[in-house]
Amino acid sequence: MNDSARRLRFPPEVEQAYEAYRREYRARVMSSTIVPSLLIYNLYLIVDYLLLPATFGIALFCHLIVVTPLLLIAGLIVRQRPRLWLRECLSASLPLAMAAQLLFIFYINRDLATADHYQYAISGILAYANVNQRPPFRFALISTLILIASYCAVLLAAQTAFPPFLIGMSLITGVGYVTLVANYRMERDARYAFLRRTHDRFEYEVSEHAATHDALTGLANRYEFEKRSAQLYADRRLARTSLGILMLDVDDFKAYNDHYGHIAGDACLKRIADAIASQLRNDEDLAIRYGGEEFLILLFNATLADTTGIAERLRHRVNAFHIPHVAAHGHVTISIGAAAGTIAENPMNELIARADAALYQAKRGGRNQVSPPTLSADTPSASI
């Protein structure tokens, strides 16, 4: 974990997730700092007025007509959550535009002694770029090198005297180094925090799954069923929605366990659980290990015809497994009881009781069957 964060690069899948996470964060950071940045940047016009009054009009034009609109446009684009390279290039363009304006004003005033003091403000722009904007380190490094190279080139072109040149280069190099180190550490910490956050979320989801699902079959447990039932009956918008309930029992499972052993019994239950899960139509349906070899299936927005149809398909699927069994049928079979009714008129405990009674009827009828028998699609779906 630490090694991945230190290298500032994750494996491709994790890097993609990190970028998706950071995209929102970077958009918020840039959006929230654009107005304060403009305010501070334009307050610097006071320095232009005091140090270089002869070119104050030019500085005012560069500030308000050129750089300020550029910053506002970049901020609007970033709010649309563009991809990494566009977003960070726009982010880097802001301090580079500020630096270009400052170096331009410095160059046209290069013969004035006060211009030597004016150009030192470039270090503040560099600090703003690397620390305030918090770009990824590789972008911060590239924009820092561009800014330092541009600064050096302008000082050389302006034939700046050696003492101001030395002071300026020492200052911008030192600020560049310090802010790059700070930027590197901020990104390292951000990546480590992302890994911790992802790890904690994964552990929470694992524990949540363990609390709501059966360890053997992977189906939901009774706690999850009670929670889902409470949600359904608490939502008044679902009052006329029909729920289907299937109670399923593995026929003569005790005899199977006694003859083949508990390991084979567990494998048998897992295979039947997979068959049950395959019959769920969407995320709103729920399969539960109700206890031992007994299962319950909750079918959302299902009539009795829908419910018995699913039950019959499931019975045939288990029959097709041909899992050997010493019982009368020669292979593992299941019996299923079905019930259905609207939420408003049928409390969950009544639906379960009717499905359980139907299961008992299927057992009495010889097992390996669905009770009530499968209804055709046009059979009325009155509650049973």
Side-chain angles (χ1 to χ4, degrees), residues 74-116:
L76 289 174
I77 295 175
V78 168
R79 285 187 180 182
Q80 306 305 313
R81 277 61 171 175
R83 293 192 176 276
L84 175 66
W85 278 91
L86 176 58
R87 181 189 71 223
E88 298 307 333
C89 286
L90 285 171
S91 176
S93 71
L94 308 185
L96 290 176
M98 295 177 185
Q101 176 271 317
L102 185 144
L103 293 175
F104 171 68
I105 297 299
F106 164 74
Y107 184 78
I108 61 178
N109 289 280
R110 59 189 180 278
D111 295 328
L112 300 178
T114 52
D116 291 336

Side-chain angles (χ1 to χ4, degrees), residues 2 5-6 8 183-193:
N2 289 336
R6 188 179 300 112
L8 302 184
N183 178 275
Y184 175 89
R185 289 175 176 171
M186 286 190 294
E187 182 173 357
R188 180 195 61 193
D189 293 345
R191 286 176 175 270
Y192 182 80

